[in-house]
């Protein structure tokens, strides 16, 4: 079940966002229940002088990989500046590139996203890029050298689940780097579906933090990701329009 992104080796395929929790105790218990290896957070929403204390109160950070993101950026320049600030603050050199182009849907700006990713790759960052479910854009990010591509299932925080499984499957089929489904998942069924389509992992925040019971939802998402991955690796039976008997018919004695 190990996932490799750049030089990072992860035991869990579930990444978890911080923030949006009612309090730090709920966040801590949800993180522990999720069994995640990766915690992501918005650099621009915290004081970099006390980043760890602000975002991860009560958590033993030696157990996690940190994934700062550039949420709030609307240009490549802003995203690059945010990433460099995170690195200079000693957080890490792994970054989730997020450059929003539409304030209503929070979908990324493809041109600025490509520019930011290219510049950060050239500067030695481990780059995971948030993108739409555009098959061509996902391929271009991969060809550029991004260490992971993170297509949205649906708009951020919407809970709509995977609205375009056709595109997501094409993104997975062409991929030579990990595909992490990011944004829009709402339930364990959504997470399982993403993994069954062949995604290498999922990143969640609102689906856990805004659930009625975030701790139970975090555990449910952990199990959903594991089940979906196992199901994908096992290979499901093909769908058919006719029935197939579960028991063999050969050698069955006729009834009188």
């Amino acid at each position: 079940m190990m996932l490799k992104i750049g030089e990072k080796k992860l035991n869990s395929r579930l990444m978890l966002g911080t923030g949006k929790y009612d309090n730090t105790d709920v966040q801590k218990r949800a993180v522990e229940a999720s069994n995640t290896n990766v915690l992501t957070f918005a650099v621009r929403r915290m004081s970099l002088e006390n980043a760890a204390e602000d975002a991860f109160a009560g958590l033993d950070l030696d157990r996690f990989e940190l994934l700062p993101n550039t949420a709030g950026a609307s240009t490549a320049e802003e995203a690059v500046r945010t990433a460099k600030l995170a690195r200079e603050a000693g957080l890490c050199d792994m970054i989730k590139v997020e450059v929003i182009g539409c304030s209503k849907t929070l979908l990324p700006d493809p041109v600025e996203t490509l520019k930011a990713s290219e510049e950060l790759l050239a500067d030695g960052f481990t780059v995971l890029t948030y993108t739409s479910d555009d098959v061509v854009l996902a391929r271009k990010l991969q060809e550029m050298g991004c260490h992971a591509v993170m297509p949205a299932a649906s708009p951020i925080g919407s809970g709509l689940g995977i609205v375009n499984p056709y595109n997501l499957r094409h993104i997975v089929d062409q991929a030579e780097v990990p595909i992490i489904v990011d944004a829009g998942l709402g339930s364990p069924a959504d997470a399982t579906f993403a993994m069954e389509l062949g995604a290498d992992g999922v990143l969640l925040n609102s689906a856990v933090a805004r659930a009625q019971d975030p701790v139970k939802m975090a555990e449910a998402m952990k199990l959903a990701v594991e089940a979906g991955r196992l199901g994908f690796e096992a290979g499901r039976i093909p769908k058919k329009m006719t029935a197939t008997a579960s028991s063999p018919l050969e050698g069955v004695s006729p009834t009188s």
Side-chain angles (χ1 to χ4, degrees):
M1 291 285 285
M2 183 171 288
L3 172 62
K4 189 171 186 292
I5 298 178
E7 298 302 316
K8 307 291 186 182
K9 295 181 179 179
L10 310 172
N11 291 320
S12 172
R13 293 175 180 268
L14 171 60
M15 302 179 180
L16 201 62
T18 56
K20 297 188 177 182
Y21 292 89
D22 289 339
N23 56 64
T24 55
D25 177 64
V26 172
Q27 175 177 279
K28 177 177 181 292
R29 291 190 292 121
V31 168
E32 291 173 347
S34 74
N35 200 37
T36 186
N37 293 143
V38 177
L39 299 176
T40 185
F41 57 97
V43 175
R44 296 177 64 165
R45 295 179 183 146
M46 64 175 62
S47 166
L48 290 180
E49 293 180 0
N50 301 291
E53 291 79 2
D54 289 348
F56 310 114
L59 293 171
D60 178 7
L61 295 188
D62 291 337
R63 296 168 46 203
F64 304 99
E65 298 288 348
L66 300 185
L67 178 60
N69 65 61
T70 65
S74 58
T75 67
E77 181 181 3
E78 290 176 346
V80 169
R81 182 168 62 248
T82 300
K84 290 182 177 180
L85 284 172
R87 184 169 66 182
E88 290 168 6
L91 294 174
C92 68
D93 61 0
M94 186 164 68
I95 191 76
K96 176 190 167 187
V97 175
E98 186 174 317
V99 187
I100 299 302
C102 175
S103 59
K104 182 177 182 179
T105 64
L106 298 182
L107 287 172
D109 182 318
V111 175
E112 296 298 306
T113 295
L114 285 167
K115 288 167 61 178
S117 299
E118 185 174 32
E119 186 169 339
L120 291 169
L121 285 166
D123 201 25
F125 281 84
T126 298
V127 175
L128 298 78
T129 301
Y130 168 67
T131 179
S132 65
D133 59 9
D134 186 303
V135 177
V136 176
L137 180 57
R139 187 182 73 239
K140 287 184 178 295
L141 289 166
Q142 173 183 286
E143 292 171 349
M144 179 182 290
C146 292
H147 299 86
V149 177
M150 308 182 76
S154 53
I156 293 171
S158 69
L160 289 173
I162 300 171
V163 297
N164 197 338
Y166 176 84
N167 275 24
L168 181 56
R169 185 57 185 265
H170 276 294
I171 290 172
V172 167
D173 286 347
Q174 73 183 7
E176 296 180 3
V177 299
I179 301 299
I180 311 298
V181 175
D182 179 14
L185 301 182
S187 73
D190 297 335
T192 299
F193 187 28
M195 300 303 292
E196 288 179 333
L197 286 172
D200 296 283
V202 300
L203 189 151
L204 305 168
N205 191 352
S206 298
V208 173
R210 306 316 302 167
Q212 294 182 28
D213 188 329
V215 179
K216 285 186 177 179
M217 185 60 76
E219 183 176 6
M221 289 296 192
K222 175 193 74 171
L223 297 172
V225 169
E226 292 173 355
R229 182 64 185 183
L230 286 172
F232 171 73
E233 292 176 347
R236 62 158 293 144
I237 63 171
K239 294 181 179 181
K240 300 189 301 181
M241 297 301 293
T242 56
T244 302
S246 299
S247 301
L249 298 178
E250 295 79 6
V252 176
S253 301
T255 58
S256 55

